[in-house]
Each structure stands twice: as C-alpha cells, then as structure tokens.
Amino acid sequence: METIEKLVVDKKNESISWFRFGQTKNITIPGLDQATIEPKKWNILVLTGSGEPPNSLMILDDEGRMLRELSPPDGFKFYYLSNHPEIGGAVVCVTDEPIQGWNDWLFGIDYSKSSLIKHCPAH
C-alpha cells in the first residue's frame, strides 16, 4: 500500500516534504542533493553531501526517521537516485575505471545487510 505521496525536494532550503495518510511531513536535511520514493518498501532515499558528488545515502521511513545511512561502494561515487523494476529503489554509482566496459552501475539496497549490491550497468 502506498504510504508516501507527492514528495517535494527543495534543495535550496535543504528540505523534503510529502503526504502520508493525508498529513504533511517535512524535514530538513543538511547537504540535501536528491530524494526519491523507494516503491517496494515505501521508504525515502536521500543523497546528501557537502561537496560534489554526494557522499551519503540516507534511507528514511515514511515518517522521516533514519533507518540506515550508507556510503558509496569501494571504488565508486554516488551519482543519482533511480528506480528499477526488479529491485525497486536504487542508486547509480560511477567508477573511474570501467568494469566490463561500463563506468555507471545501478546498485540496489540489501536491507538485511545494510549494504549496496551491484545490479547492472546503468543505461
């Protein structure tokens, strides 16, 4: 069941807002870069960081509580948030050295291990 609706990202004011069961939720996130709804678990994925590229992936529940905070995988940098039909919420990460001919890779979230799993090249 959908619990998060109308996610609004205000990068300038470092805040996100959304509706949850008819109530507005709003939180400030220092260093906010991007945010998206994770459609399989109904969490909010947030990339943050004071520089370029973002250096932290925050996973929030539908109330805005922090569930996990992840760093980029070794050898990669966060690039942007995405959704994939098989794995749900995902993050595209880039590497300087191509792997199997690709620099951009889609990583899914393994909630049980609090880690990112390389899924496929990002197209």
Side-chain angles (χ1 to χ4, degrees):
M1 177 171 92
E2 292 183 25
T3 60
I4 301 170
E5 300 177 273
K6 301 179 185 175
L7 179 70
V8 176
V9 179
D10 184 346
K11 189 172 175 176
K12 180 181 175 186
N13 291 313
E14 299 183 317
S15 69
I16 60 173
S17 61
W18 65 97
F19 288 98
R20 179 184 180 274
F21 300 121
Q23 294 182 329
T24 301
K25 302 289 181 178
N26 188 317
I27 59 173
T28 300
I29 301 174
L32 174 66
D33 186 72
Q34 303 170 41
T36 192
I37 297 170
E38 198 290 324
K40 291 202 181 246
K41 296 207 177 265
W42 293 106
N43 292 321
I44 300 171
L45 305 181
V46 181
L47 284 179
T48 66
S50 56
E52 291 290 327
N55 58 16
S56 177
L57 171 64
M58 297 170 56
I59 303 169
L60 310 176
D61 69 9
D62 60 355
E63 286 283 338
R65 294 178 294 235
M66 171 92 75
L67 298 174
R68 291 167 180 76
E69 187 167 12
L70 303 173
S71 298
D74 288 341
F76 287 87
K77 298 174 189 163
F78 287 136
Y79 190 27
Y80 63 90
L81 296 170
S82 184
N83 281 297
H84 186 275
E86 292 174 19
I87 60 174
V91 60
V92 174
C93 299
V94 296
T95 182
D96 292 333
E97 294 297 319
I99 298 172
Q100 300 170 340
W102 295 89
N103 291 82
D104 300 355
W105 285 84
L106 196 68
F107 283 79
I109 300 164
D110 183 334
Y111 286 90
S112 66
K113 295 180 181 175
S114 292
S115 64
L116 296 171
I117 299 173
K118 187 169 60 166
H119 182 68
C120 64
H123 302 139

